[in-house]
């Protein structure tokens, strides 16, 4: 199992969520974060306004998936989150050793 | 070392925290998140109110622990976080390569 | 690649960020969290005020870096985040299997 984490522009959340639902992702978790990449937050355009602050508001999306879903999930997020301008975000993939679905007690891939 | 992450119902946080303290967990980190699972947030009851929104407020609890604590921590969180109705949450376990306790400079398991 | 996560005192964020920029870190993500360590939040001093609550506000800083940057990043965070009093925080290191820079489609270390 893998945990795919994407840090994206907040106004792209709905589009990314819908694209992931379409390919069969079952659940996700969202956190409000702030950050910067190579431009150090300078001159980044956020929802049409120019900012010269250092930390820019972003949304972190986490999806726990099966190993074989990784390529499709990466493509889908990258496509749906992309505007083509700076600050579009990053996707990180990490291993997931175990998962539990609390209500049913299921573990492993069936718990996702 | 492992990082156990649980996404639970917010009103269950105190109960889960107390249960973890009882079994000797030394520290934890909490983040306010929102998410959905298989019901896509529809018809999920949150603190007694019906919602038909897609993202439901949840709390993410992270505990860094030793490998041998994992089974007990999983059982404890699952028991304390369970209400039996949908949306009770998920637990994810991931590897932790290294840990540092900043004040003392300790590293590894003694830093947890 | 590694993901280094530091949970630090909020007023130390700027100092840690500047120290990381100085050693060439390209980007970071920040989340507002709350937590406690061995003192269970009791008697922890936060920005000059005494609290006897259990969860103390902290900031979680995440940096995705190359493997060879880990020792320097750990030293830098630990030095910049340290006040010498309780609650200075923890640093956790985890593996990163893959990374994507959404705008350019770059993957792997060049995507960081
Ligand atoms: N190395 C990193 N570690 C952790 N988080 C990062 C890193 N790089 C970027 N991020 C997160 O991703 C968000 C978006 O980054 P961003 O898309 O600006 O990256 P970039 O490399 O500057 O690419 P671009 O040139 O397209 O802007 C940042 O606001 C930050 O939250
Ligand atoms: N695959 C997933 N990836 C990331 N986060 C998830 C995933 N599934 C669930 N979550 C997180 O866990 C929270 C609780 O999920 P939930 O308990 O509703 O899962 P479920 O599979 O629908 O189980 P149930 O049928 O008991 O409701 C969600 O709000 C979301 O934040
Ligand atoms: N085992 C842990 N798992 C997850 N998060 C932790 C853990 N221990 C500490 N933290 C996080 O780090 C923050 C700072 O912890 P803290 O520095 O108080 O650790 P400590 O071990 O008590 O060290 P000190 O004695 O210097 O206070 C906590 O508020 C919490 O968010
Ligand atoms: Mg950028
Ligand atoms: Mg559900
Ligand atoms: Mg402490």
């Amino acid at each position: 199992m893998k945990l795919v984490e994407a840090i994206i522009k907040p106004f792209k959340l709905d589009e990314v969520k819908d694209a992931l639902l379409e390919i069969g992702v079952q659940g996700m978790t969202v956190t409000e974060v702030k950050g910067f990449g190579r431009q150090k937050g300078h001159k980044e355009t956020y929802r049409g306004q120019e900012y010269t602050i250092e930390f820019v508001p972003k949304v972190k999306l986490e999806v726990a998936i099966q190993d074989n879903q990784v390529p499709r999930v990466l493509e889908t997020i990258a496509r749906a989150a992309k505007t083509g301008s700076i600050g579009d975000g990053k996707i990180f993939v990490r291993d997931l050793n175990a998962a539990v679905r609390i209500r049913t007690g299921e573990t492993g891939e069936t718990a996702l």
Side-chain angles (χ1 to χ4, degrees), chain A residues 25-92:
Chain A
V25 166
Q26 300 264 25
M28 59 190 73
T29 300
V30 168
T31 314
E32 287 175 22
V33 300
K34 56 184 184 177
F36 60 81
R38 301 189 200 194
Q39 296 80 20
K40 312 288 172 284
H42 291 294
K43 310 195 207 76
E44 188 168 329
T45 301
Y46 174 60
R47 290 202 187 218
Q49 280 182 281
E50 286 290 333
Y51 277 84
T52 32
I53 48 163
E54 298 203 338
F55 286 107
V56 181
K58 298 282 170 187
V59 150
K60 184 201 278 188
L61 187 83
E62 285 168 299
V63 252
I65 56 174
Q66 296 173 27
D67 288 1
N68 63 16
Q69 294 178 288
V70 171
R72 208 152 175 224
V73 164
L74 291 189
E75 276 168 49
T76 301
I77 296 175
R79 189 175 27 77
K82 188 172 174 169
T83 67
S85 42
I86 58 170
D88 273 352
K90 301 268 159 129
I91 313 175
F92 300 128

